[in-house]
Amino acid sequence: MNNAKLYWIWIVLMLYAQGSLVSCENNYNIMVSWSEQIPVGTHMDTVKANTPSGVVVNWQRADTIQDEVYYEVYVKNNYDILGMQNFLVFYSDRFVRRSAIK
């Protein structure tokens, strides 16, 4: 085979692989959408009960900064190329916001 033909085969395989990855469920987008829809002031128990299946919140370990409690969020099938670290922030067991850092 000549190089041009191998190049085109490689391109077709890469496009197919990319389509396969993109078609998988991306729980990161689900987590962002879910966390943006949580009303401020929602009790922690309600947030726990309504957590999507692809999202895991580490409720056993929390960091506290100026009376706000940060729970780390892990996302299954996460294709976030930036590798962001996400947290749910609570004050007095009430939801405040989602926070993300690099």
Side-chain angles (χ1 to χ4, degrees):
M1 272 190 214
N2 62 19
N3 287 341
K5 192 170 188 178
L6 287 174
Y7 177 74
W8 283 109
I9 291 173
W10 182 80
I11 288 176
V12 169
L13 289 175
M14 290 299 107
L15 290 173
Y16 176 77
Q18 182 182 9
S20 296
L21 288 176
V22 171
S23 65
C24 293
E25 186 172 25
N26 186 347
N27 289 322
Y28 187 81
N29 291 340
I30 292 170
M31 182 275 301
V32 170
S33 176
W34 164 73
S35 63
E36 289 176 349
Q37 294 177 13
I38 301 171
V40 173
T42 301
H43 195 273
M44 184 186 307
D45 292 336
T46 304
V47 175
K48 285 180 183 180
N50 293 305
T51 303
S53 61
V55 177
V56 178
V57 180
N58 187 354
W59 298 109
Q60 283 68 44
R61 183 177 179 273
D63 294 320
T64 303
I65 302 171
Q66 297 178 349
D67 296 330
E68 290 185 329
V69 182
Y70 290 71
Y71 293 95
E72 189 166 7
V73 178
Y74 300 97
V75 182
K76 299 175 186 175
N77 299 328
N78 184 1
Y79 303 119
D80 174 29
I81 59 173
L82 296 177
M84 301 297 286
Q85 190 174 16
N86 293 277
F87 299 90
L88 295 181
V89 183
F90 290 83
Y91 179 80
S92 297
D93 290 342
R94 300 287 178 175
F95 180 77
V96 178
R97 68 182 178 283
R98 177 181 69 92
S99 178
I101 60 171
K102 173 76 177 119

